[in-house]
Amino acid sequence: MTVLSLLPVSTERLLLRPFTPDDLDDLHAFQSLPEVARYLYRPPLTREQCAQSLTRRAAGTAWSEDGHDLVAAVCPVGEAKVVGEIVLKLASASARQVEIGWTFNPAYAGRGYATEAARAVAALAFAELDAHRLFARLDVLNTGSMRVCERLGMRREAHLVENDLDGGRWGSEYVYATLAREWKAERA
């Protein structure tokens, strides 16, 4: 059994579901954009790279070892269109540390989709995957993702200065996090 069995997850406006091969056009539409890739410290993805990524995602993982992940397609309710993706990655199985991340098509920015999807998978991480600590790493220039973290009630724990090299640009990151007990207390 893979962690994909936890999907789909519905929110008021979104459906978070496993990716399928039919999602290639939508995934490539935003993963190929330089303005998306710049915050991921990698070049834009080719169509072939997106197809390979879909194959890996469709297989899922067991959520038992460091590096296992859950990747969900984010779709507006009632639409087949993928507007983004949300990821939970098991950073440390023994310490129950889970990294959360998201990537969205800029054409759908400003609608609150990233916050709504992140809130849903954060709840899943704590309730179903027994996460002790949920954290996000993001480029300090990515103000949209900073706002998502803050809306989720995550605290900024670190500022890593010039810790990653993206081509010729040194990138700095913020680390945001929340603990299971904090997450539950805020929702009680």
Side-chain angles (χ1 to χ4, degrees), residues 84-150:
E85 66 182 20
I86 191 100
V87 180
L88 291 175
K89 180 179 174 184
L90 186 55
S92 172
S94 63
R96 300 180 1 243
Q97 307 288 307
V98 177
E99 183 174 1
I100 187 172
W102 45 84
T103 309
F104 280 80
N105 188 326
Y108 297 90
R111 300 181 191 189
Y113 288 163
T115 301
E116 191 171 329
R119 188 172 286 121
V121 297
L124 184 80
F126 291 122
E128 302 295 328
L129 299 172
D130 195 31
H132 169 70
R133 179 175 172 270
L134 183 74
F135 70 95
R137 297 176 321 128
L138 48 123
D139 189 295
V140 299
L141 301 176
N142 191 343
T143 57
S145 285
M146 278 187 265
R147 287 191 299 271
V148 171
C149 290
E150 291 162 2

Side-chain angles (χ1 to χ4, degrees), residues 160-183:
L160 308 175
V161 178
E162 295 184 3
N163 66 309
D164 208 339
L165 185 60
D166 176 23
R169 175 183 84 90
W170 282 103
S172 298
E173 290 182 323
Y174 289 137
V175 177
Y176 282 83
T178 191
L179 300 174
R181 68 176 176 269
E182 295 166 332
W183 180 264

Side-chain angles (χ1 to χ4, degrees), residues 36-113:
V36 170
R38 74 177 283 211
Y39 293 130
L40 302 172
Y41 298 110
R42 62 152 173 80
L45 297 182
T46 65
R47 188 172 179 81
E48 181 178 318
Q49 289 169 318
C50 286
Q52 292 168 354
S53 176
L54 282 176
T55 300
R56 185 193 67 77
R57 293 165 187 205
T61 63
W63 199 263
S64 57
E65 297 177 15
D66 294 1
H68 283 177
D69 60 10
L70 169 65
V71 184
V74 179
C75 307
V77 168
E79 297 182 35
K81 182 158 204 67
V82 175
V83 299
E85 66 182 20
I86 191 100
V87 180
L88 291 175
K89 180 179 174 184
L90 186 55
S92 172
S94 63
R96 300 180 1 243
Q97 307 288 307
V98 177
E99 183 174 1
I100 187 172
W102 45 84
T103 309
F104 280 80
N105 188 326
Y108 297 90
R111 300 181 191 189
Y113 288 163

